[in-house]
Amino acid sequence: MRGGILALLGMIGLSLSLSAQINTKVYQSEHRIDTLKEGELSFELDNISFFKDNEYAGGIQKGYSLPGFWIQPKLVYHPLKRIKLELGAHLLRYWGASKYPCYAYHDIPEWGGEQYQHGFHALPWFRAQVDLSERFSIVLGDIYGGANHRLIEPLYNQELNLTSDPEAGLQILYDAPFMNLDVWVNWQSFIFREDTHQEAFLVGLSSRFKLNPEAKAFHFYVPIQATVQHRGGEIDTIYTHSVQTLMNASVGVGGVWNVAHRVVNRIGAEADLALSYQQAGELWPFDSGTGLYFRAYADLKDFRVKAGYWRCKDFVSLLGSPFYGALSFKDEETLFHSPQMATLGLEYARSLGHGFSIGADVDIYCHLKGNKTTAEGEYLPTSSATSFSAGVYLRINPSFLLWKKK
């Protein structure tokens, strides 16, 4: 089964003309307001359909498949040149599922509900945005989340672009020739008085300081990123370990060689130091941890070939894949000692026209030999293992003009 799926995706990748990469072409959304749309009311349909297969080996996580789609039908109104209002719904469906728990669709075990939705996991969707200038934006409601934050993989699992609830809260965006800045609050769990679950919100920072212009033949930059999640609340009914504060952060240096060759378009590399810190609570078995992340890529005539290396000590990721951490999500309470992993991947992404794009990817994760401590306290060696992940994605985002102010 695994080999057949990978072979099928390989044939798809070889048979189409494409342009990397998936984050930019498929997952991200344009956040700048089009000032020419002042006075327009439109109906917009945003959707990603996906089929992703994860064949995982080793003791970190069990494999699974994701067949489904999310869709956002919404009305979009531009009352002024630099203000945009959007109202609609976010609907998530997995093929073969008949009912959906009323959970926050990320970190589900920590806060849940007993009620179910049928047909879709459905949420209201609203965004109010004002661009105070060409560089500075304020967003309230459903923010530009996921891949738009440009977080490195140890801090953010790109699969969440398919499965998690839209991020909602407050966001500040600033784009300048010398830097990009994204600061946000994602309110994940709201509580009323006497609720039996915790209030939870996540504060994020993603910045990139450009040491020279991006258009130069050799471009260099410094990324600084952080995510902090707070769980607690003064009006709930939880009195034991009622406050938890968890943090991930990273700082790095990267470079891009804009080759401008007809076959080799771009070559890039980046090195990051990642940190995890548990300021309060006992959710994690480690109060602090570190990780080293190296990655490189080459855009070869519309293909992106990428490779990476990860090593950590006592690191736990808030939003990243369990592969980038020292905990096992497969064997409860198993801890890994300085785990190492090498990765290799191939991406495909092609813009089919304004508002339409398609993508596919194949990733190989090579878990290197190491050691672990089991739940029973045994110190054992771990053997090497190879995991695979492959997916196909279609993004459609057409817009239909309903009315324009004369």
Side-chain angles (χ1 to χ4, degrees), residues 206-271:
S206 179
S207 60
R208 175 175 293 201
F209 295 90
K210 306 170 188 178
L211 303 182
N212 66 331
E214 291 183 79
K216 291 288 186 180
F218 292 93
H219 167 60
F220 301 97
Y221 60 91
V222 174
I224 300 176
Q225 303 176 345
T227 55
V228 181
Q229 186 187 65
H230 177 77
R231 309 181 187 189
E234 298 182 8
I235 59 176
D236 61 27
T237 59
I238 300 173
Y239 302 105
T240 303
H241 304 309
S242 60
V243 175
Q244 295 94 35
T245 303
L246 312 168
M247 183 184 78
N248 283 170
S250 71
V251 59
V253 60
V256 178
W257 179 18
N258 295 304
V259 183
H261 187 271
R262 64 185 184 88
V263 176
V264 183
N265 302 323
R266 186 180 299 105
I267 297 174
E270 184 175 316

Side-chain angles (χ1 to χ4, degrees), residues 62-167:
K62 295 181 179 179
Y64 54 92
S65 296
L66 295 170
F69 68 93
W70 60 254
I71 188 169
Q72 293 175 359
K74 53 192 175 183
L75 294 173
V76 181
Y77 180 50
H78 294 74
L80 299 173
K81 281 187 176 182
R82 298 192 181 275
I83 294 180
K84 181 169 69 171
L85 305 175
E86 303 172 69
L87 175 65
H90 177 85
L91 308 172
L92 172 68
R93 179 170 177 81
Y94 297 118
W95 298 117
S98 59
K99 64 179 183 179
Y100 298 80
C102 294
Y103 292 140
Y105 272 45
H106 177 66
D107 206 2
I108 290 175
E110 299 304 328
W111 47 78
E114 299 178 354
Q115 297 179 336
Y116 284 85
Q117 298 172 326
H118 295 271
F120 291 88
H121 171 58
L123 294 169
W125 202 95
F126 176 78
R127 176 186 291 155
Q129 176 181 351
V130 55
D131 286 0
L132 298 180
S133 69
E134 293 183 356
R135 298 178 179 176
F136 187 73
S137 302
I138 296 177
V139 183
L140 287 164
D142 288 279
I143 66 176
Y144 296 95
N148 277 72
H149 297 315
R150 301 173 70 178
L151 296 172
I152 62 173
E153 289 187 76
L155 268 61
Y156 188 81
N157 185 355
Q158 296 302 323
E159 190 175 281
L160 295 178
N161 287 289
L162 310 175
T163 60
S164 72
D165 287 344
E167 299 172 37

